[in-house]
Amino acid sequence: GSVPIKAVFYAKSGKPLKTATYMNLRPVLGKNRITRTVIQDSLQPGRQSVIDNYEHKREKFEDAIFSKETLGDK
């Protein structure tokens, strides 16, 4: 299947705030997955965050933890 390579996040005014670039597609848990995301700040050029996803594991979650009531408690 296809995977995203870039996303631009905009303010309500239409001005770009952040650009995320997705990279390092690798086989993980039987599927190709993005293992690095680089987020560049459009308001402060030169500033960026890098997110590396090294550890993947399967977990089961009860559907109830995704309810509005449960999410609002945090």
Side-chain angles (χ1 to χ4, degrees), residues 6-23:
K6 186 182 276 190
V8 181
F9 301 93
Y10 294 90
K12 192 174 182 179
S13 67
K15 186 175 185 173
L17 296 175
K18 309 267 185 193
T19 300
T21 305
Y22 306 106
M23 43 185 59

Side-chain angles (χ1 to χ4, degrees), residues 24-69:
N24 293 0
L25 191 65
R26 297 203 170 121
V28 176
L29 299 174
K31 291 185 179 182
N32 282 330
R33 300 180 194 272
I34 294 163
T35 59
R36 173 173 275 201
T37 303
V38 178
I39 301 172
Q40 306 226 331
D41 191 323
S42 299
L43 302 178
Q44 299 179 51
R47 295 207 46 167
Q48 69 178 20
S49 299
V50 178
I51 303 167
D52 286 315
N53 299 305
Y54 292 113
E55 295 183 29
H56 295 83
K57 62 182 177 178
R58 293 192 199 299
E59 288 193 39
K60 284 198 159 233
F61 296 98
E62 298 296 324
D63 289 343
I65 70 166
F66 299 104
S67 71
K68 276 175 43 176
E69 294 78 22

